[in-house]
Structure formats: structure tokens, C-alpha cells
Amino acid sequence: ELMTGYTMLRNGGVGNGGQPWVLRWSSRIRLTWLSFTLFIILVFFPLIAHYYLTTIDDADDAGKRIFGPRTGNELCEVKHVQDLCRIRESVSEELLQLEAKRQELNSEIAKLNLKIEACKKSIENAKQDLLQLKNVISQTEHSYKELMAQNQPKLSLPIRLLPDKDDATFPLPKSNRNCRLHNCFDYSRCPLTSGFPVYVYNSDDYPFGSSLDPLIKQAFEATVRTNIYVTENANIACVYIVLVGEMQEPVMPKPTELEQQLHSLPYWRTDGHNHLIINLSRKSETQNFIYNISTGRAMIAQSTFYDAQYRPGFDIVVSPLVHAMSEPNFLEIPPQVPVKRKYLFSFQGEKIESLRSSLQEVRSFEEEIEGNAPADYDDRIITTLKAVQDSKLDFVLVEFTCKNQPKASLPTEWALCGERDDRLELLKLSTFALIITPGDTHLVISAGCTMRLFEALEVGAIPVVLGEQVQLPYNDVIRWNEAALIIPKPRITEVHFLLRSISDNDLLAMRRQGRFLWETYFSTSDNVFSTVLAIIRTRIQIPAAPIREEPAVEIPHRSGKAAGTDPNMADNGDLDLGPVETEPPYASPKYLRNFTLTAMDIYRNWNSAPGPFHLFPYTPFDPVLPSEAKFLGSGTGFRPIGGGAGGSGKEFQAALGGNVPREQFTVVMLTYEREEVLMNSLERLNGLPYLNKVVVVWNSPKLPSEDLLWPDIGVPIMVVRTEKNSLNNRFLPWDEIDTEAILSIDDDAHLRHDEIMFGFRVWREARDRIVGFPGRYHAWDIPHQSWLYNSNYSCELSMVLTGAAFFHKYYAYLYSYVMPQAIRDMVDEYINCEDIAMNFLVSHLTRKPPIKVTSRWTFRCPGCPQALSHDDSHFHERHKCINFFVKVYGYMPLLYTQFRVDSVLFKTRLPHDKTKCFKFI
């Protein structure tokens, strides 16, 4: 079977009956021919074509070669091909460069990715550390609070001794005369931290209000509206004040009616504790109508007291309110010099009723006169004074009978003669003014005596009070022996000798002190009311409220301009000025003596004549400064360990040393539409050591340019907008000034850093004085009998211009808020003299001249626009300013000095390795 299948396959798949063999052979021939033909085409045709092409390229005419290889130069001979070649080469180069950059960027990206990962890890670590620090801080704060709670005494209200509400069963004091603070004043309403709130009754709401003198009422209401202690919330008040006088005679209520009206006050609380009844007097004949009224535990403030009525340390003797609705005219006040005047002393008065004729009335008026009536010295006084006048050893004017009808007065009191203007004209010619107290010794003070005292102090006549029993105004806080002579009446025979023996220096000191007392406590209704409140506040030991600071309205500005360094400003040779502060600005320590000042320095502050420790305007009723005036105790501060840093070399240069080893100053720069000059000046402050901040006082109503770039000098620059264009803005106590030291500098002043640092070091040794660079002096013009301002070079000076000077911020408060307004008005009128006014103020207060440092006398600002000082009228205006200021102060306060501060090594030849010692006094 196998063989049969094989035979069939060989036969074409058919049996013996299949196709013939010819057909099989034919098929084989076709396959063989097809294979051969394909072989010929695939092998021989390429060989023939190759041969043909090679034969053509071997032709002699090279130009006819088509397929042969060509060189690059031959290809580029064609113009458009050359352009394509250049493009190809340029693209190739750019591609190579881009590839190189790509590789470089990839490398940088890889590095940055590594840094990012490292930063992420650092951030995570920092977050963990921050969280730990927050936990530590929180735990520390909690522990601190616990320690403070353990160590801090518990603060609670004082013990309440008197009823808080009306209690009809609460007994009144057995005798009003026994009232003192400890038994008639409720301290629980006046905690130390209360701020001394005072509530003032509105007089129009009560019947007695219609009887008040209109001028006194109007002046009192105007004063109350501006006082910082007055509150409208009676529930928190410490003291309640009611004004009951001066009353007009025709409509004056009866004593019983007034008593009922007082007892019906809503907060009287049965006995009137913590109430103050004020009876102001505008005339010398003001009556003591409160004498017959039961005032309970209320305090009384008035100008007339009997000894049975007056309670020392509880009631207050006030000065008369002469200038009710007007400010004193300083131009009408005579100068304090010359010391001696036409009359050695003067007196005008008439005694309407003698003591013996009024004795019976006094007995019925008072409860009882114990013992014999005191001797009447008036006859002896009249005889002695007339003898002095007749001796003609000195010019003396005494008149014991009035030319016209005398003013009404109390029994045994010397009545005033004539009108007020006539009396003042006589006192202006008198060195001393006699004040004879009433013959009735039970009358401890009267409105007539306080009026004589007021007029004498006003015009500079030194008061001579005959009668030591008198209680002068505010006598428990003012040392009257510094401004007046208080002589017992039996010594009338020695008065002439005593007055002649007083030296001119003592006379001037007493006159200046009297002027200070009059300006501070007597002159205006504000002063009288503030003094009354201050006495009560001081008695109950509550510190004064902080004085207000001038709020700084910042002008938005763009910073970002990198400040360069002026080579002229920075070239200090080998001198190392000190470290540039790398930590946040360091503010001066805040004022911390509010309570101890009230308890320890009562008399020193109340009786402060012009001097370095007692500035005349700064009294207990003036608010306490928010930062302590260091010169008040600059010599008593301890020196911390490491405070000083050696006396020479790098150790001294690296720190300020001294008693205040860490301190900075603030630059206050006044400018007006001189942007380029201002920017240059600010750039020069770059890198200045110990600089805390720069306050730019923008004195123009036009704001700075919006595209103006302010320099970045490493410390904050505060641009302050002012309400008006005034040179007084230079000395406003801006709340942005955190340091005691202020460097007042003009926008065109050129000072080197070493000069600024030297001035700062000198100021730290004389904190109560102006320390600066350009000096000036005043001179007396003999032909014209007036003062002149002089800017010539001289060997002595009396002023230092505040265009480049250091001073204490304390003086900014006094200049802006306390110095007489007339001076600031003149500065605004002339747009000049603000620097002279500051020199007058400081010299008046300290009785010291300013300090000039270095030999610099003027400033040069090449290319700066014209300043105000270049005006032709500049010096004429300054002459007028000096003479006007002298009239306001009453004398010339400026003092000459031939002292100038230079470095210890000034013009001293030293070896090169020793020249790094800083300039110092």
C-alpha cells in the first residue's frame, strides 16, 4: 500500500490514467526559464548600469559630469546654495549652544532640586524647633505669671470708711473743724490706678447757678471742658466739684437756701464727702458767705477764711480769678530788670474799721474769741512807715488814705485804693510791695490780701507780707519764702533795714520766682482750676496723668533705593565710630517714677524756679512725661557691670560706655518741597551708629511725588504729615520718637558721621543742655537800646542753632505745650526764630548756656535751593524776635559762654598706632 501511494504521487497525483509526461516536462521548463530570467535581471542589469554611469563620469569635460562626487566649494559656488550653507552653519552653532545651555540648566535644576529638598528638610526641622520654642515660651510665660502672682501684692480698693449711698442714720462729724483727709475723705473712690477722675456739677441745673458771676461761670466751664481729669461718669468719680461763687449781690441766695441746695446734690451722700466747694473771687470785696453754711465733710476752696473755718491740709486757699476770660498780655508786664526800681517799697490802702470797733461784731460772727483781743499794731505800722518816708533815705511811697472811695472790705482789713490799672502802674515803679494783713488775727486770709499778692507778683514787685499768721494761697505746697518776705508785725521797725540789706542777686531770684508762681498758678482760669485739682491729687498721692504726645500721621512712601555712602561723610580715616545697630531699634526706658515722684518730690516740683531740676512749667498738675527726663538724675544712676569699656583704643570705640551704656538717638529732619536735597541728606545717614529712627517732618501741604524712591538706610524712616506749614513742627513731641536724645537737623545740613557721634557723646554728658555745631550770640545795641542777633565768628556764644543740635525730648513737650503761645505765634508770623525760641526756653529753665562742639560755624550745601536764611529780611526778623522774647520772659535768659568742646586729642600729634582713640571731652 505504501508503494502504491508513492507511485501515484510521482505520477502527479493520478493514477495510470493521468496526464502524459510531456506536460510535466513543459511545466518544469517554465519554472527553470523564469528563475533564469530573474537571475539575469537582478545580477547583470545593475552591473551594466554601473558600468555605463562610470563611463559617463569619466568624460573629459568635467562640467558635463552629473553623477560624480563634487567638493564642498564646488557646491557652494551656486549663490542660493551658499546662503543655504551659511544658514546651516549658523543653525548648527545655535543648536550646539542651546544644547550646551540645556545641559547647563539641567545641571543647575538638579542642584536646585537638591537645595529645595534640603530646604524642605530645614523648614520641617525649623517648624519642629519653632513648635518646641513656642511650647517653651508658653511654659515660661505661665511660670512667669505664677511667679508674678506669688510675688505681686494683691491690689484692691482702699478701705471704705464712709457710706457709698445716702444713709440718714450716718452721723455727721461732731465739728466740721476737725475734718481731715483721714476721717472725712473716702479713699476707696480714689485707687492709685484710677487716674483721678473728677466730676463737675453743671451749675445751670441748680438754682444757685443763676446767681453766679457770668464771667467766672463762663471761664470755669471753658476750663472744665479741656481738663484731662474731668469725667462725665459720676459713678467712677473720685472727687465731685461744685462751683458756688463768686455770686452777684442782688440775687445771692440766703445761707439756708444754699445749704439746702448743696445737700440735695445727687451725689452728696448725706455728708458731702469727696466734694469740693469752689468759691472763686474776681473782686477784692468778695464775701465769705460759706462761713454760716454746714458743708459736712466737703472741702472748701476760696480766698477768704477765718481760723474757725479753715482746716489745714483739707481746705484750699485759692488765688483770685482776675483774668477770667483773657490771657495775660506779656507786652504789658514790666521787665524783671533793672533790679532796683524808683521806690524801695510802696503801699496804698485805707482801713475802714479798726479792730476794737469791730470786736463785738466778730464775737457774734464767730463762735467764740478765746483770751484777750490781740494788740492792734496798725497804729505803730502807720507811724513807722511815715517816718521812713519822711527820712528820705530811700524813695518810699505810703498812703493810708485813698484819694477816691476805697473798695469794700472786711472789718479790720486794709481796703484797696483806686482802679486796678492805677495800682499796677505804682507797683511797676516799686521794688517791694507791702501787704498788711487784717488786724483781726482770726481772719487768716482775705480776698483783699490775695488780690494785693496777685497784682504784686504780676508786675514783679516783691511782696512783703506783714503778719506771719497769714495763710497764703496754696501755702501747704508752695514755699513762699522763695518769692516773698513774710515778716511779723512787731518787726515793722526793722523792715526798712531788712529791705535795704537784700542783695541784687537775691532780689532778682525772688522776682523771677514770683513771676514763675504767677504764671504757673495764678495767671489764668486754667491754671487756678488745674492747681486746685493738683493739690487734692497730690494730697491723696495719685500720680499725674501722662502728658499727651503728638500723633504722627505717616505719609505712605516707597523704599527700596539702595543708599550709597557719601565718601565725604564716611571718610573717617582710621577712626572707628562704633557699631552699627544690627538689632531692632532700642527705645529709651519709660518713665517709671510716677508714684515715687508724687511721694518724694512734692516741694521740689511745686517750688521749682528755673533750674536744671525744676522746669518752671512742669508742676504736679502738668501731666507726667511718658519717658523720664534723664538729666533729672543723670548723676545718680549706677553704672552696670561692663558699662564702661576702657579709656582708649578699640575698646572705647566699640561701645558708648558711661552711665547709660546702651542708648540711641532719633533724627528729626524738617523739610519743605526739596526732594532731591532731602534724599541726599537721608543717604548720608546710612551706616550711622546708634541711630534709632529718622522722622521726616513734611512741612508742605503738597505730598511727596508718588514715584519718589526713598533710600534704605538700615533704620526706619517715618515721614510725618503736618497740619500746617510751621517751623514749630520741628519741636513737636511726636509719638514716633522713642528715644530721649533728638538730633534736630536741617535737610541741607552736611555733617560727617564722626561729628554726629562726637556731638552725641557730648550730649550724653550734658543731657539738660542743647549740644550742637553752629554757634551764635546776642549783643546789646547801645545806640538803639535793644538786643541784636549776631552770626559773626566770635570767641563767645549764647546760642546753638537747632539746624544741627542734640536736645532732650523733654524740651519738645515744654516748647509745644507749655511755653507761652505768644512765642510760637511769632515764629509762625515770621516763619523764623524757632531755634532762638528753643535756646531761650532751655537757658531760662537751666540757667546754663548751650554747648558748642567742634570748630564748625556754618554749613555749606553746594547746589541746594535757596533757604529761608538767605532772605534779606532774615536777620531783621531775628532782631525783632529776640527783643520780643525778652519782653515775654521779662529778662534776657541767654547766657554767654567761651566754652567749646573738642576732642581730647584735638591737634595732638600721636604715633600712628595711637590715633584710634575717639574724640571726646
Side-chain angles (χ1 to χ4, degrees):
E1 293 178 357
L2 292 173
M3 290 299 296
T4 304
Y6 176 75
T7 304
M8 290 176 65
L9 180 62
R10 292 186 60 184
N11 292 330
V14 292
N16 295 328
Q19 296 179 356
W21 64 270
V22 176
L23 293 175
R24 292 194 299 268
W25 182 80
S26 166
S27 176
R28 291 176 182 171
I29 292 175
R30 285 196 297 270
L31 289 173
T32 302
W33 176 251
L34 180 62
S35 297
F36 179 78
T37 304
L38 290 175
F39 176 79
I40 293 299
I41 293 172
L42 293 176
V43 174
F44 290 96
F45 182 76
L47 293 176
I48 295 171
H50 176 70
Y51 174 80
Y52 174 77
L53 293 175
T54 303
T55 304
I56 294 176
D57 288 339
D58 289 340
D60 296 334
D61 190 358
K64 296 181 179 180
R65 287 181 300 177
I66 300 176
F67 298 99
R70 295 176 179 266
T71 63
N73 293 334
E74 292 176 344
L75 291 175
C76 292
E77 288 180 358
V78 184
K79 185 176 181 179
H80 67 279
V81 176
Q82 292 178 355
D83 294 338
L84 294 175
C85 291
R86 285 194 296 267
I87 293 173
R88 184 190 64 180
E89 293 176 357
S90 175
V91 171
S92 299
E93 292 179 359
E94 291 180 0
L95 290 175
L96 292 175
Q97 293 177 0
L98 290 175
E99 179 63 20
K101 289 183 179 180
R102 187 184 67 81
Q103 295 178 359
E104 183 180 355
L105 290 176
N106 289 335
S107 177
E108 291 181 359
I109 290 173
K111 293 179 180 179
L112 291 176
N113 288 331
L114 294 176
K115 289 183 179 180
I116 290 173
E117 295 297 328
C119 290
K120 288 182 179 180
K121 294 181 180 179
S122 300
I123 291 173
E124 293 297 329
N125 296 333
K127 287 181 179 179
Q128 296 295 330
D129 295 341
L130 180 61
L131 183 61
Q132 295 178 1
L133 289 176
K134 287 182 178 179
N135 294 333
V136 172
I137 292 174
S138 178
Q139 295 175 0
T140 305
E141 290 178 349
H142 182 69
S143 302
Y144 175 77
K145 291 179 180 179
E146 291 181 349
L147 291 175
M148 291 296 295
Q150 296 175 1
N151 298 326
Q152 183 71 28
K154 183 179 180 181
L155 184 63
S156 58
L157 293 177
I159 299 175
R160 182 179 299 281
L161 299 178
L162 302 173
D164 186 43
K165 299 181 180 180
D166 291 342
D167 186 359
T169 63
F170 191 80
L172 293 173
K174 295 180 179 180
S175 174
N176 292 340
R177 190 173 181 180
N178 296 328
C179 258
R180 298 296 184 271
L181 288 175
H182 70 276
N183 61 354
C184 289
F185 189 85
D186 187 4
Y187 280 90
S188 65
R189 299 199 62 85
C190 308
L192 290 175
T193 57
S194 64
F196 191 60
V198 175
Y199 179 79
V200 180
Y201 290 98
N202 186 1
S203 302
D204 294 333
D205 297 339
Y206 306 98
F208 59 82
S210 59
S211 303
L212 295 176
D213 183 296
L215 287 179
I216 287 185
K217 180 180 177 181
Q218 186 178 358
F220 183 79
E221 292 175 350
T223 299
V224 167
R225 285 194 296 268
T226 59
N227 193 276
I228 60 176
Y229 296 107
V230 174
T231 178
E232 296 181 358
N233 187 357
N235 296 322
I236 65 170
C238 168
V239 176
Y240 301 85
I241 295 179
V242 53
L243 178 68
V244 299
E246 179 175 56
M247 288 193 174
Q248 297 174 307
E249 292 288 344
V251 293
M252 181 183 297
K254 295 180 180 179
T256 55
E257 295 176 355
L258 181 59
E259 180 176 324
Q260 293 176 357
Q261 295 173 16
L262 290 176
H263 291 183
S264 64
L265 293 174
Y267 304 100
W268 187 259
R269 297 186 180 91
T270 305
D271 59 353
H273 62 271
N274 288 47
H275 275 66
L276 174 65
I277 300 174
I278 298 181
N279 178 22
L280 298 176
S281 60
R282 195 168 58 90
K283 302 184 293 290
S284 61
E285 59 268 23
T286 301
Q287 299 297 317
N288 183 15
F289 60 88
I290 300 181
Y291 181 82
N292 293 320
I293 294 177
S294 174
T295 57
R297 289 185 169 91
M299 297 173 285
I300 299 175
Q302 61 180 9
S303 300
T304 302
F305 279 103
Y306 282 91
D307 60 354
Q309 177 189 17
Y310 179 68
R311 298 163 292 185
F314 194 74
D315 294 326
I316 302 174
V317 179
V318 299
S319 60
L321 189 58
V322 178
H323 301 286
M325 291 302 296
S326 61
E327 294 288 335
N329 188 353
F330 291 100
L331 298 180
E332 296 180 358
I333 300 175
Q336 299 184 29
V337 289
V339 177
K340 298 290 182 62
R341 297 178 178 178
K342 178 179 180 180
Y343 299 111
L344 178 63
F345 62 84
S346 64
F347 178 81
Q348 283 182 327
E350 183 173 337
K351 193 172 184 181
I352 299 177
E353 191 174 7
S354 65
L355 174 63
R356 298 189 184 279
S357 63
S358 64
L359 192 56
Q360 184 63 33
E361 181 181 354
V362 174
R363 280 199 180 95
S364 61
F365 190 67
E366 301 180 7
E367 295 179 357
E368 182 183 4
I369 293 182
E370 299 178 357
N372 299 325
D376 189 354
Y377 294 104
D378 291 352
D379 295 338
R380 180 65 64 87
I381 291 174
I382 293 173
T383 303
T384 303
L385 295 180
K386 284 185 176 181
V388 174
Q389 185 177 21
D390 295 339
S391 67
K392 298 183 189 270
L393 291 176
D394 295 289
F395 285 105
V396 174
L397 192 151
V398 290
E399 295 178 353
F400 301 103
T401 303
C402 296
K403 298 177 181 178
N404 300 319
Q405 182 67 26
K407 303 293 182 181
S409 62
L410 296 175
T412 75
E413 183 184 18
W414 288 90
L416 293 170
C417 295
E419 300 298 328
R420 167 177 159 80
D421 293 339
D422 298 332
R423 296 194 301 269
L424 292 180
E425 290 301 322
L426 175 60
L427 292 174
K428 291 178 182 179
L429 302 175
S430 306
T431 305
F432 296 94
L434 293 185
I435 301 175
I436 305 176
T437 59
D440 182 7
T441 56
H442 295 280
L443 185 60
V444 295
I445 190 63
S446 65
C449 287
T450 56
M451 185 64 70
R452 289 181 182 272
L453 179 66
F454 180 95
E455 293 176 352
L457 296 176
E458 182 178 5
V459 297
I462 300 173
V464 180
V465 182
L466 295 178
E468 80 284 357
Q469 81 284 355
V470 69
Q471 298 290 334
L472 297 180
Y474 323 124
N475 63 312
D476 55 342
V477 291
I478 292 180
R479 292 177 179 173
W480 279 105
N481 58 350
E482 296 180 358
L485 295 174
I486 303 175
I487 303 174
K489 286 185 177 181
R491 293 192 179 276
I492 185 60
T493 56
E494 301 172 311
V495 167
H496 187 201
F497 171 80
L498 177 61
L499 299 184
R500 293 190 66 183
S501 64
I502 300 177
S503 65
D504 289 354
N505 289 335
D506 292 338
L507 288 176
L508 184 59
M510 295 181 70
R511 182 172 294 162
R512 187 183 300 122
Q513 179 69 9
R515 173 72 175 271
F516 150 68
L517 295 177
W518 179 80
E519 287 183 351
T520 309
Y521 307 117
F522 291 74
S523 58
T524 64
S525 59
D526 287 341
N527 291 345
V528 173
F529 182 68
S530 298
T531 302
V532 171
L533 294 185
I535 290 177
I536 300 176
R537 182 183 53 75
T538 305
R539 285 175 177 176
I540 63 178
Q541 299 179 339
I542 294 182
I547 195 171
R548 70 181 182 91
E549 292 190 288
E550 195 69 21
V553 180
E554 184 178 7
I555 299 177
H557 59 280
R558 293 190 304 163
S559 299
K561 178 183 177 183
T565 302
D566 190 335
N568 296 324
M569 300 295 107
D571 185 12
N572 301 305
D574 295 332
L575 185 62
D576 186 5
L577 301 180
V580 178
E581 299 294 339
T582 57
E583 55 187 51
Y586 177 74
S588 297
K590 296 297 182 182
Y591 190 88
L592 301 176
R593 292 192 59 212
N594 292 7
F595 297 97
T596 55
L597 180 69
T598 304
M600 297 172 55
D601 301 332
I602 293 177
Y603 279 100
R604 192 182 74 172
N605 289 281
W606 278 90
N607 299 275
S608 54
F613 298 101
H614 320 111
L615 306 187
F616 84 97
Y618 180 61
T619 57
F621 68 80
D622 287 317
V624 176
L625 302 183
S627 59
E628 181 177 3
K630 288 295 184 181
F631 63 83
L632 296 179
S634 60
T636 60
F638 74 96
R639 183 168 177 172
I641 297 176
S648 63
K650 293 184 177 180
E651 294 83 1
F652 182 78
Q653 300 163 14
L656 281 174
N659 296 318
V660 188
R662 188 184 183 195
E663 189 172 17
Q664 296 178 342
F665 62 91
T666 302
V667 169
V668 176
M669 186 176 295
L670 188 73
T671 187
Y672 186 89
E673 296 184 1
R674 299 199 296 182
E675 294 181 353
E676 183 179 357
V677 175
L678 175 63
M679 295 301 107
N680 293 335
S681 296
L682 291 175
E683 288 187 3
R684 287 193 293 269
L685 299 177
N686 184 35
L688 181 61
Y690 307 110
L691 179 59
N692 178 275
K693 184 185 299 182
V694 178
V695 177
V696 177
V697 181
W698 191 264
N699 224 22
S700 171
K702 180 182 177 182
L703 297 179
S705 303
E706 295 182 358
D707 58 347
L708 182 63
L709 282 180
W710 296 70
D712 183 4
I713 60 175
V715 298
I717 297 179
M718 173 70 67
V719 185
V720 178
R721 185 174 186 176
T722 57
E723 295 182 357
K724 64 176 182 179
N725 177 20
S726 172
L727 294 180
N728 292 316
N729 295 332
R730 179 194 296 273
F731 301 124
L732 284 173
W734 302 105
D735 56 3
E736 291 293 333
I737 301 177
D738 298 325
T739 61
E740 295 177 5
I742 295 178
L743 172 58
S744 174
I745 189 170
D746 289 337
D747 58 359
D748 57 357
H750 282 221
L751 284 175
R752 300 193 310 272
H753 287 188
D754 62 315
E755 293 176 319
I756 295 176
M757 287 308 305
F758 180 51
F760 182 46
R761 289 180 180 268
V762 173
W763 177 85
R764 297 176 76 251
E765 300 294 327
R767 309 174 73 90
D768 59 335
R769 299 161 81 172
I770 299 177
V771 176
F773 299 88
R776 301 292 186 266
Y777 69 97
H778 67 288
W780 180 251
D781 184 7
I782 297 178
H784 298 88
Q785 293 295 293
S786 62
W787 294 103
L788 295 177
Y789 170 85
N790 201 314
S791 62
N792 296 330
Y793 290 88
S794 67
C795 295
E796 62 182 5
L797 58 96
S798 59
M799 292 175 283
V800 167
L801 301 186
T802 54
F806 285 92
F807 64 90
H808 201 287
K809 188 181 180 182
Y810 188 76
Y811 294 123
Y813 295 99
L814 303 184
Y815 182 99
S816 302
Y817 301 146
V818 185
M819 188 181 69
Q821 181 63 37
I823 296 179
R824 293 191 292 272
D825 291 341
M826 190 167 196
V827 171
D828 287 336
E829 178 183 355
Y830 285 161
I831 316 180
N832 199 342
C833 306
E834 85 287 355
D835 46 1
I836 301 177
M838 177 60 82
N839 278 270
F840 265 69
L841 174 66
V842 177
S843 295
H844 173 65
L845 303 178
T846 63
R847 304 307 303 135
K848 297 177 182 179
I851 296 179
K852 173 176 170 49
V853 293
T854 74
S855 60
R856 183 187 288 270
W857 200 266
T858 59
F859 295 103
R860 296 181 180 179
C861 182
C864 292
Q866 186 174 3
L868 293 175
S869 58
H870 297 161
D871 191 355
D872 294 337
S873 61
H874 176 74
F875 286 95
H876 297 289
E877 293 173 349
R878 294 173 86 81
H879 300 329
K880 295 179 181 178
C881 288
I882 286 184
N883 287 280
F884 178 78
F885 296 165
V886 168
K887 291 181 180 179
V888 173
Y889 283 98
Y891 75 111
M892 169 54 74
L894 297 179
L895 299 173
Y896 293 106
T897 179
Q898 301 176 7
F899 177 74
R900 190 187 82 191
V901 179
D902 288 300
S903 69
V904 172
L905 305 179
F906 180 64
K907 293 186 177 181
T908 303
R909 294 182 177 273
L910 292 175
H912 177 71
D913 58 346
K914 299 294 183 182
T915 57
K916 291 188 178 182
C917 181
F918 192 83
K919 299 179 179 180
F920 203 56
I921 300 176

